[in-house]
Amino acid sequence: METTIAKTDFAGRSVHSQSQTWCTPPKYVDAVRKMFDGIVSLDPCSNKDSIVNAQTEYILPENDGLKESWNYPTIYVNPPYGADYERGTTIKDWIGKCEDAYATYNSEVLALIPVATNTAHWKKYIFGKATGICFLYDTRLKFLVNGSTENKGAPMACAIVYWGNNYDKFCEIFSQFGATIDGKCINFREKTKQLTMEF
C-alpha cells in the first residue's frame, strides 16, 4: 500500500504516520503466493519496499494502477487506505477495480483492506460479489513499515477479500488467519442484495 499524505483517513479514523508505505506482512505474502501457486501476476499499487514481487508492478507516479489494465490471471491488492487528493481517488476505486477484474477478465483477486462493512464499497463490491472474506484475527495488523513489522500496528481491523473461483482453497489457506465467510452462500447473497438496494 502506498500513501501519499502524512495524515490519512482510514475508514473514518485520522491517522498520522511518517511512513509513506505500509507493506503487506510476510506471513500474508506467503499465503497469497500459496493461493496463486507461487505466481502473483499483478500488483497494481506496489512500491519500492514491497516484498510481493509480482511479475508486473504499477508504482506511482510513473504508473497509476487505477488507469492501467488489470487483465492478469492473478492479482494481489494492498491499496492505499486513504484518499489520494491529487488524483481524486479513494479505496472505493481500488475495490471496485478488484471486483471488475474478476467480472471482466475472470481474474483471481485477493485484497487486504480495512473492515468497514458500513461503507458503500463493501455493500457494492464485496457483499454478494466477493467469493470469500477472511476477517483477520490480528487485533492490530502489523504492516511492514521501513522493512520491519515492529510497530504499533494498524488502527483498524483488516480483512482479506477474495474474488475468484476456488473458495475451498481460499478457506483452506486463510482460515488459519481469521474467520472465513463463503460469499457464494445463497442466503448471504440474497440478504446483501436487499442491503445494497437500501443504500
Side-chain angles (χ1 to χ4, degrees), residues 81-93:
Y81 288 1
D84 184 332
Y85 298 109
E86 183 179 333
R87 290 169 183 78
T89 60
T90 67
I91 191 170
K92 179 179 180 180
D93 299 294

Side-chain angles (χ1 to χ4, degrees), residues 23-33 51-52 141-145 147-149 177:
C23 299
T24 306
K27 65 180 180 180
Y28 295 119
V29 172
D30 290 344
V32 167
R33 288 189 184 128
I51 61 170
V52 174
L141 192 151
K142 296 192 175 193
F143 286 92
L144 191 65
V145 179
S148 173
T149 56
F177 301 115

Side-chain angles (χ1 to χ4, degrees), residues 95-183:
I95 296 174
K97 194 92 170 177
C98 291
E99 191 273 329
D100 181 69
Y102 173 56
T104 304
Y105 306 117
N106 201 34
S107 302
E108 297 275 310
V109 185
L110 289 169
L112 173 59
I113 62 171
V115 174
T117 57
N118 61 322
T119 56
H121 51 269
W122 272 75
K123 293 175 181 132
K124 186 172 182 180
Y125 302 119
I126 297 174
F127 293 141
K129 299 286 182 72
T131 306
I133 305 165
C134 177
F135 293 97
L136 300 176
Y137 293 141
D138 285 329
T139 304
R140 293 176 68 89
L141 192 151
K142 296 192 175 193
F143 286 92
L144 191 65
V145 179
N146 300 322
S148 173
T149 56
E150 297 301 315
N151 54 72
K152 293 180 180 179
M156 80 298 282
C158 293
I160 299 278
V161 180
Y162 171 58
W163 295 263
N165 301 313
N166 196 341
Y167 173 76
D168 289 342
K169 185 176 182 182
F170 171 76
C171 185
E172 178 185 341
I173 293 170
F174 286 95
S175 60
Q176 66 180 305
F177 301 115
T180 57
I181 293 175
D182 184 346

